[in-house]
Amino acid sequence: MVLSERSLKLGDNPIRKLVPLSLRAEADGVEVLKLNIGQPDIITPRPALDVLQNYKPDILKYGRAKGKETLRSTIASHYNSHVTYDISSDEVFVTTGASEAILLTFFSALDHGDEVIIPQPCYANYIGYAKMAGLHIKALDCDIEDGFVLPFIQDFEECISQKTKAILLCNPNNPTGQYYAKDDLEALAKLVKKHNLVLIVDEVYRPFVYDDTFHSALSLSEILESVIVIDSISKTFSACGARIGCIVSRNKAFLNAVQGYAQLRLCPPDIAQEIAIACYQSYSSYFPKVKEEYRKRRNTAYQRLSKIEGFKTYKPNAAFYNIIELPVASADHFCEWLLRDFRLNNQTLMLAPANGFYLDRKRGKKQVRLAFVLNCDKLNQAFDVLEAALETYEELKV
Ligand SMILES: Cc1ncc(COP(=O)(O)O)c(C=O)c1O
């Protein structure tokens, strides 16, 4: 069969490409400490798991394309009770994870050939989804030297061409673990207004901000009609497998367009929506402890990483990721070598080479992304492995 050109251009997934090597190490009885993927290890809220026991419908029916009213109003009141956004349930559109929300947003707000500005490194799937939707990404470089802060507004403005339709931000950011504060967002809002753009903000890590107060793009009163927020229960509630996310927007025309595409996939799964309702209802009793756990992990990681010689790093202030620059020529090679050849106390380490988070894969060649999805004891073991591995790797070079 001759595959489509689109498929041939898609490229590999930077996070999953090391899986065969990891499986081989595990088959040999080695413990692989996995810091490569944002799959939280924290238990999902109990009431959400109980839904699985108590869900007993007679018929598993199709539901509404935009999701159940009970879930949409639960999400709206969740937002409204934490910050006064005054969101109504009609402004919330339920999707099959934030993943589908990104795709529906691209299809509904942007045309084939349109340009979207994205600071990089960025969540790798934006690149794949942009290819699916025929969009051109204009990547705006952020730098590890200054902790991947948001580029200057002038830099954004210089990227804008006739074809530029949108700016896409991930806030808090995966893969950098950095949060862009209120001032940054307000400055961007002015630019969006001046050039009549759309601001898409992926807020799936919205409550994971450790040293500041989270400021949502939903609060940008100057450009309310031009803001699209993407959210999900995957990370906040450790519920990646439920596949529930949402789009939030005050722009009715945009939501109608989303409805048109969403009707093609009929509806999000019913049981998962019930799970999502239970998640949101558990937020106050559940999330504060989760956040403290991630804060501890972030602190442990920073303490250890800042002591290792030859590293470039910074203290991430949000989400549960950190990019580090290693003293190696190729992080790709180092990550493969770890899984294939390096063991410390029968353990090894799985990291995500960071070049997959850049549009141009020649960038970030020495960088890896860590996800703090192991407890502090295991994290310490992971850093023991990393330190010992770097010493051995260095010796191999000579
Ligand atoms: C920034 C970002 N957006 C979206 C997603 C996808 O989320 P979901 O599981 O809700 O599809 C992820 C998953 O890792 C992510 O990190």
Side-chain angles (χ1 to χ4, degrees):
M1 187 177 63
V2 182
L3 297 179
S4 65
E5 273 192 41
R6 238 193 340 257
S7 313
L8 298 172
K9 282 186 193 151
L10 196 56
D12 56 0
N13 181 316
I15 301 171
R16 295 185 188 266
K17 69 180 179 184
L18 295 170
V19 170
L21 291 177
S22 154
L23 289 174
R24 213 169 302 154
E26 282 175 334
D28 290 342
V30 174
E31 184 185 1
V32 179
L33 298 162
K34 294 182 186 130
L35 298 183
N36 63 308
I37 192 163
Q39 166 58 65
D41 60 322
I42 308 270
I43 304 289
T44 310
R46 189 74 247 169
L49 297 173
D50 288 344
V51 170
L52 292 167
Q53 309 292 329
N54 303 329
Y55 185 77
K56 294 194 171 56
D58 296 321
I59 306 174
L60 288 167
K61 292 182 184 163
Y62 287 126
R64 300 180 73 180
K66 61 180 173 182
K68 296 172 92 119
E69 172 57 30
T70 41
L71 175 56
R72 288 186 294 109
S73 53
T74 303
I75 296 174
S77 51
H78 173 78
Y79 290 149
N80 294 335
S81 64
H82 292 95
V83 184
T84 329
Y85 302 133
D86 202 17
I87 294 292
S88 82
S89 61
D90 283 341
E91 292 161 337
V92 177
F93 200 105
V94 178
T95 56
T96 311
S99 302
E100 189 188 53
I102 297 163
L103 192 60
L104 291 177
T105 295
F106 280 179
F107 277 125
S108 308
L110 305 169
D111 270 316
H112 203 274
D114 281 348
E115 281 173 2
V116 51
I117 300 174
I118 307 181
Q120 71 170 354
C122 68
Y123 176 52
N125 288 2
Y126 297 153
I127 301 172
Y129 281 134
K131 284 183 187 162
M132 275 171 86
L135 309 178
H136 294 296
I137 294 181
K138 274 209 168 166
L140 199 49
D141 289 332
C142 303
D143 203 337
I144 195 164
E145 306 284 347
D146 58 19
F148 294 111
V149 294
L150 201 67
F152 292 119
I153 292 299
Q154 300 91 285
D155 299 331
F156 278 94
E157 191 150 29
E158 278 166 18
C159 274
I160 296 174
S161 76
Q162 294 283 21
K163 290 191 170 172
T164 308
K165 277 277 199 63
I167 295 173
L168 168 56
L169 220 57
C170 180
N171 194 31
N173 191 278
N174 172 15
T176 66
Q178 292 296 51
Y179 162 64
Y180 312 125
K182 189 175 176 199
D183 290 354
D184 284 335
L185 287 176
E186 288 179 345
L188 264 186
K190 287 197 168 57
L191 189 73
V192 164
K193 191 170 179 185
K194 179 173 166 194
H195 294 274
N196 195 19
L197 304 176
V198 176
L199 181 64
I200 305 168
V201 187
D202 180 341
E203 296 185 354
V204 307
Y205 299 94
R206 56 179 10 247
F208 297 89
V209 177
Y210 305 113
D211 309 320
D212 205 336
T213 308
F214 176 67
H215 191 75
S216 170
L218 295 171
S219 314
L220 295 171
S221 50
E222 252 193 279
I223 54 160
L224 282 184
E225 287 269 319
S226 309
V227 170
I228 300 166
V229 162
I230 285 162
D231 201 356
S232 165
I233 64 167
S234 289
K235 311 294 169 167
T236 305
F237 299 107
S238 210
C240 301
R243 310 306 306 129
I244 291 295
C246 64
I247 295 170
V248 190
S249 171
R250 293 175 199 257
N251 189 313
K252 287 198 172 50
F254 165 70
L255 288 175
N256 282 339
V258 172
Q259 169 86 357
Y261 284 105
Q263 278 172 341
L264 301 174
R265 59 77 162 121
L266 306 181
C267 61
D270 187 71
I271 185 166
Q273 294 185 76
E274 293 297 334
I275 289 172
I277 293 171
C279 283
Y280 282 107
Q281 287 169 345
S282 308
Y283 182 84
S284 314
S285 57
Y286 175 81
F287 191 73
K289 287 182 222 138
V290 172
K291 183 167 164 178
E292 278 322 297
E293 173 61 23
Y294 280 113
R295 187 200 300 277
K296 267 201 296 189
R297 294 176 184 190
R298 186 272 310 249
N299 292 346
T300 300
Y302 185 65
Q303 253 174 13
R304 289 294 302 266
L305 291 171
S306 52
K307 284 190 192 129
I308 303 180
E309 294 273 311
F311 261 43
K312 278 189 194 159
T313 190
Y314 54 94
K315 190 174 189 180
N317 58 20
F320 41 75
Y321 301 103
N322 193 184
I323 290 192
I324 52 178
E325 191 161 304
L326 303 170
V328 300
S330 159
D332 254 329
H333 180 267
F334 178 72
C335 291
E336 284 174 25
W337 172 82
L338 273 175
L339 289 168
R340 209 178 24 231
D341 299 320
F342 187 76
R343 313 287 181 249
L344 179 74
N345 305 325
N346 204 35
Q347 290 178 318
T348 191
L349 184 57
M350 193 169 181
L351 304 167
N355 57 354
F357 301 106
Y358 290 85
L359 197 64
D360 169 4
R361 292 207 177 171
K362 291 196 194 80
R363 290 187 56 83
K365 268 171 72 175
K366 297 180 174 194
Q367 298 174 359
V368 290
R369 186 200 67 177
L370 318 179
F372 305 141
V373 290
L374 296 176
N375 65 34
C376 288
D377 286 347
K378 286 284 173 196
L379 268 185
N380 272 315
Q381 290 171 19
F383 294 127
D384 291 343
V385 173
L386 182 60
E387 262 184 295
L390 280 169
E391 277 169 29
T392 311
Y393 195 71
E394 189 56 29
E395 284 162 16
L396 285 178
K397 276 199 306 198
V398 222

